[in-house]
Amino acid sequence: MVATFRFPDIARWQTMNTIYATKITRGNFSRKDLPSSIQYYETHGIKLKGSGAWRDAICPFHKDTKPSLRINVEKGAYRCMACGAHGGDVLAFHMHRHGLNFVEACKQLGAWRLA
C-alpha cells in the first residue's frame, strides 16, 4: 500500500488564496488613463533628446554614458540599442524598470479601476 501525503489545510489554503487574489485583482484596466509617453518619461527622470517620433535617452537598465535608449513618443515604445531592453508602451517600461506585475504597474500609473 502506498502512503499518500496530504497537506492538512490545503482546502483552506486554496479558499483563502482565491479570496485574496479576487480582492487584489478584481478591477478593470483602462488604457486611456495611462499618462502620455512624453509626460511619463519626463516625470520619471528620462531626459528625451532630439525631435520627431523616435527620441534618444540614457538607458536606465544598464550603465550608460551615451544615449542608447530609443523612445517612440507617439506610442511609448522603447528599445535600448546597447542592452536590448524593449517594450511597447509606458506600462511595459514601468513594469520593467520597477519589477512590477501588470496589476501593480496599472495601479501605480492610475490605469486600474476597481470593479
Side-chain angles (χ1 to χ4, degrees):
M1 178 181 241
V2 176
T4 305
F5 179 77
R6 182 179 168 149
F7 291 101
D9 292 334
I10 192 75
R12 183 172 158 246
W13 178 83
Q14 288 173 336
T15 303
M16 294 303 291
N17 193 30
T18 302
I19 291 169
Y20 178 74
T22 302
K23 286 182 180 180
I24 297 291
T25 59
R26 184 175 289 166
N28 297 315
F29 169 63
S30 175
R31 182 166 295 280
K32 66 181 175 81
D33 291 335
L34 285 174
S36 72
S37 57
I38 293 176
Q39 175 190 2
Y40 172 82
Y41 288 116
E42 289 180 348
T43 58
H44 284 83
I46 307 293
K47 295 180 182 174
L48 302 175
K49 299 175 182 175
S51 60
W54 285 94
R55 305 212 183 150
D56 299 324
I58 301 291
C59 182
F61 302 114
H62 69 278
K63 286 190 172 189
D64 202 3
T65 56
K66 297 179 184 175
S68 61
L69 184 68
R70 302 278 291 151
I71 296 173
N72 184 316
V73 294
E74 294 170 358
K75 298 179 182 177
Y78 66 96
R79 174 172 290 280
C80 178
M81 300 303 166
C83 71
H86 66 282
D89 59 6
V90 295
L91 181 58
F93 185 89
H94 195 73
M95 289 169 61
H96 187 179
R97 186 168 187 194
H98 300 287
L100 302 172
N101 66 34
F102 178 79
V103 175
E104 290 171 344
C106 289
K107 287 178 180 179
Q108 284 188 6
L109 295 176
W112 190 260
R113 296 181 181 239
L114 296 176

